[in-house]
Amino acid sequence: MKFSLKNKVAIVTGGGSGIGKSISKTLAEQGAYVHILELNADNGNITLNDIVENGGLAEIHACNVANQEDVTRVINKISEKSTINILINNAGVAHIGNIEKTLEADLDRVYNVNVKGVYNCIFSAIPYMKKHGGVIINMASVASSVAVSDRFAYSMSKGATLTMTYSVAKDYIGYGIRCNSISPARIHTPFVDGFLKNNYPGKETEMFEKLSKTQPIGRMGVPQEVADLALYLCSDEASFITGTDFPIDGGFIKLNG
């Protein structure tokens, strides 16, 4: 079976909702044992129950990726029971505003999760992955490489995620570790719905359509499309791919000029 992950062990950060939830479920459907690292226990348990009800294997671990001690504790615990074959660094937070509207506290919050969180997980997992190889996927963004209005802190953090991907891929290629990133444009997740509800009450549908049309393809992506790309990159079918960023953006980067 193509894209089989049978007997593989995967860690997915922020696996309780949105893109992370779809990735967790998709990897489990293809045979992986999925460890969900999640700050929101309720979301994590919903994903866990969905996986188990569909015959998959998974565990949830309460974890704040911004806290290195927390991450190290969880990854050490996982490694005591099994190898670690796959690490998906998906957990992240957003911030809206240009540099003048980005307070130091805002910058710290975004940096601690989106940059330090990715670093913490790779730092903790890579000594184990060096023993047998593996796959690391970092969730970047179209904002990593093109200008997006009012996303100063977020763009900064995702640019760092992209360059971390290249650095890790270069340094650990000799250990059989492949490291790639995925750069989504707008994906229709619960975050989008919450953003529209909080910022455009009564105009959610209108603004949703407006945001959708900013993608040249005419719509937002859906989490499952990102999950399917992640599945491919985790599989043996992608064994010749490392050090590469994969936009999944409805033409946003190349056709928005």
Side-chain angles (χ1 to χ4, degrees):
M1 180 177 67
K2 278 188 174 291
F3 314 123
S4 173
L5 299 180
K6 186 177 181 181
N7 299 323
K8 301 291 187 181
V9 174
I11 295 172
V12 182
T13 70
S17 65
I19 292 172
K21 180 176 183 177
S22 289
I23 291 175
S24 296
K25 293 172 66 175
T26 299
L27 300 190
E29 287 169 1
Q30 294 302 112
Y33 193 114
V34 180
H35 292 270
I36 301 165
L37 274 57
E38 181 58 71
L39 194 60
N40 187 314
D42 290 338
N43 286 345
N45 281 314
I46 290 172
T47 302
L48 176 63
N49 291 336
D50 286 348
I51 290 172
V52 172
E53 287 175 3
N54 283 286
L57 299 172
E59 293 181 36
I60 182 174
H61 305 268
C63 184
N64 176 6
V65 297
N67 184 307
Q68 188 173 90
E69 183 177 342
D70 209 16
V71 172
T72 299
R73 172 186 58 79
V74 171
I75 289 181
N76 285 349
K77 179 181 177 182
I78 294 169
S79 69
E80 288 173 1
K81 296 194 288 185
S82 63
T83 58
I84 298 173
N85 305 108
I86 297 165
L87 170 63
I88 311 285
N89 286 306
N90 169 77
V93 295
H95 178 264
I96 298 170
N98 60 26
I99 193 168
E100 294 177 280
K101 297 178 181 178
T102 303
L103 302 177
E104 184 178 13
D106 299 324
L107 191 68
D108 286 345
R109 181 180 70 92
V110 172
Y111 176 87
N112 284 338
V113 178
N114 294 6
V115 180
K116 188 180 174 186
V118 175
Y119 155 77
N120 283 340
C121 292
I122 297 176
F123 180 83
S124 298
I126 213 156
Y128 300 110
M129 299 182 86
K130 283 171 62 178
K131 299 174 183 178
H132 48 72
V135 177
I136 298 170
I137 297 177
N138 299 322
M139 200 60 62
S141 166
V142 293
S144 301
S145 52
V146 297
V148 178
S149 299
D150 291 324
R151 296 294 188 278
F152 171 76
Y154 182 77
S155 297
M156 174 276 300
S157 71
K158 292 303 183 178
T161 299
L162 180 62
T163 51
M164 271 194 286
T165 298
Y166 297 150
S167 181
V168 170
K170 179 74 171 180
D171 288 341
Y172 293 94
I173 192 170
Y175 292 94
I177 296 172
R178 297 190 294 108
C179 185
N180 295 295
S181 57
I182 295 175
S183 285
R186 286 194 171 95
I187 306 296
H188 186 194
T189 64
F191 173 83
V192 171
D193 293 333
F195 169 78
L196 294 176
K197 182 178 180 180
N198 292 333
N199 291 276
Y200 303 99
K203 296 183 178 180
E204 292 92 339
T205 300
E206 175 187 343
M207 290 305 301
F208 181 85
E209 292 176 356
K210 184 176 180 179
L211 290 176
S212 296
K213 290 177 181 176
T214 63
Q215 315 305 300
I217 206 167
R219 66 172 177 86
M220 293 189 195
V222 296
Q224 188 59 53
E225 291 171 311
V226 183
D228 289 340
L229 176 56
L231 170 63
Y232 168 66
L233 293 174
C234 289
S235 72
D236 290 340
E237 282 72 21
S239 61
F240 199 55
I241 299 174
T242 192
T244 303
D245 180 56
F246 288 82
I248 181 165
D249 65 352
F252 185 86
I253 292 176
K254 296 295 186 182
L255 305 181
N256 236 349

